[in-house]
């Protein structure tokens, strides 16, 4: 309590006072009324204290302005590395990041919960932006397709045009409607200035 007063740490003061009142047999309902919070909040404080002990209170001893970061510097650096590796390398069945997935990742790796509304601010502080990704195929036959396309443009088509000139023939072209069956491009979290890539197993079909 003395430390809380010295540091002007209101959060620590309230936690300590609530625990002292409870140790003096004051009811949870009365403590909640005096603290101006709901009874569930007091119960959560008590459960956390019983689980983590005095160390939990010691963790509230910080100086400076603003709210204390939930993640340490080392944890933030580790989080950056995990996000850069992509969702699939972290056990997700998706190629793009969203805040809900990152919140789950933080909980699984560090047992820290983040509000989704605040998580976007954290991502920007870590050097990430929410940007549109570009597709890269994971199909092995893609190289074969590109080779055949190059052969058509550089060899087959020129030969047809040359023969048409020799025979004074007319070359007719039939246009086709084609589209890529690999979905729409979506946004994902990635380092600022670096457009992310997302693998696709989609196919071309006309």
């Amino acid at each position: 309590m003395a430390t809380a007063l010295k540091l002007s740490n209101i959060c620590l003061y309230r936690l300590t006072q609530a625990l002292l009142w409870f140790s003096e047999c004051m009811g949870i309902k009365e403590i909640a009324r005096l603290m101006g919070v709901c009874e569930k909040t007091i119960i959560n404080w008590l459960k956390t204290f019983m689980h983590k002990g005095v160390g939990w209170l010691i963790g509230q001893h910080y100086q400076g302005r603003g709210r204390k970061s939930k993640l340490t510097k080392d944890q933030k650096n580790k989080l950056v590395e995990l996000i850069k590796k992509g969702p699939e390398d972290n056990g997700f069945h998706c190629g793009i990041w969203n805040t809900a997935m990152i919140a789950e990742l933080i909980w699984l790796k560090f047992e820290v919960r983040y509000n989704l509304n605040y998580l976007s601010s954290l991502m920007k502080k870590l050097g990430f932006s929410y940007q549109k990704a570009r597709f890269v195929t994971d199909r092995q036959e893609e190289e074969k397709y590109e080779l055949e396309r190059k052969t058509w443009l550089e060899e087959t088509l020129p030969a047809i045009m040359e023969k048409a000139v020799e025979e004074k023939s007319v070359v007719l072209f039939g246009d086709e409607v084609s589209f890529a069956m690999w979905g729409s491009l979506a946004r994902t979290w990635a380092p600022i200035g670096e457009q992310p890539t997302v693998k696709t197993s989609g196919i071309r079909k006309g």
Side-chain angles (χ1 to χ4, degrees):
M1 183 67 78
T3 302
L5 292 172
K6 181 180 179 181
L7 299 177
S8 297
N9 191 325
I10 298 176
C11 179
L12 176 60
Y13 178 86
R14 286 164 60 83
L15 289 172
T16 306
Q17 184 61 74
L19 292 171
L20 288 174
W21 280 339
F22 184 77
S23 69
E24 296 170 357
C25 298
M26 182 181 290
I28 291 178
K29 185 175 182 179
E30 180 64 13
I31 297 175
R33 186 186 68 80
L34 293 172
M35 286 291 176
V37 297
C38 65
E39 296 178 27
K40 186 177 180 180
T41 298
I42 302 300
I43 294 175
N44 288 337
W45 288 354
L46 293 171
K47 287 182 177 180
T48 304
F49 178 71
M50 288 186 287
H51 175 64
K52 297 185 178 180
V54 179
W56 174 58
L57 289 177
I58 295 176
Q60 307 299 321
H61 296 191
Y62 65 91
Q63 297 184 9
R65 300 178 180 179
R67 180 182 300 176
K68 182 182 179 182
S69 176
K70 293 184 177 181
L71 296 176
T72 65
K73 184 177 180 180
D74 289 340
Q75 288 175 329
K76 289 180 180 179
N77 292 336
K78 179 64 176 178
L79 178 61
V80 170
E81 294 177 4
L82 293 173
I83 294 175
K84 286 183 177 180
K85 289 181 179 180
E88 293 175 310
D89 284 349
N90 287 281
F92 293 95
H93 300 289
C94 181
I96 59 175
W97 284 115
N98 57 40
T99 51
M101 294 165 62
I102 294 175
E104 182 176 350
L105 177 68
I106 293 175
W107 170 249
L108 292 174
K109 298 297 182 180
F110 311 114
E111 295 188 357
V112 174
R113 294 196 181 279
Y114 268 94
N115 184 293
L116 297 184
N117 294 328
Y118 173 74
L119 199 52
S120 296
S121 298
L122 174 65
M123 294 301 296
K124 292 177 181 178
K125 292 178 181 178
L126 294 179
F128 290 90
S129 63
Y130 199 56
Q131 54 182 292
K132 181 173 289 188
R134 62 184 176 86
F135 282 135
V136 290
T137 182
D138 63 353
R139 300 171 60 215
Q140 295 181 352
E141 63 267 27
E142 186 67 16
E143 292 184 4
K144 179 182 178 182
Y145 167 81
E146 292 295 340
L147 180 61
E148 292 177 348
R149 184 171 185 271
K150 182 178 181 181
T151 301
W152 163 258
L153 292 174
E154 297 180 359
E155 299 177 16
T156 307
L157 180 59
I160 292 176
M161 298 302 296
E162 183 178 352
K163 184 176 181 180
V165 172
E166 293 175 355
E167 300 181 357
K168 297 182 179 180
S169 300
V170 177
V171 178
L172 302 179
F173 289 89
D175 192 16
E176 67 172 356
V177 177
S178 62
F179 53 92
M181 298 179 62
W182 47 33
S184 302
L185 287 171
R187 292 182 179 275
T188 182
W189 287 101
I192 296 175
E194 299 179 21
Q195 186 180 23
T197 57
V198 179
K199 288 185 179 181
T200 175
S201 58
I203 58 175
R204 289 182 174 85
K205 190 170 184 179

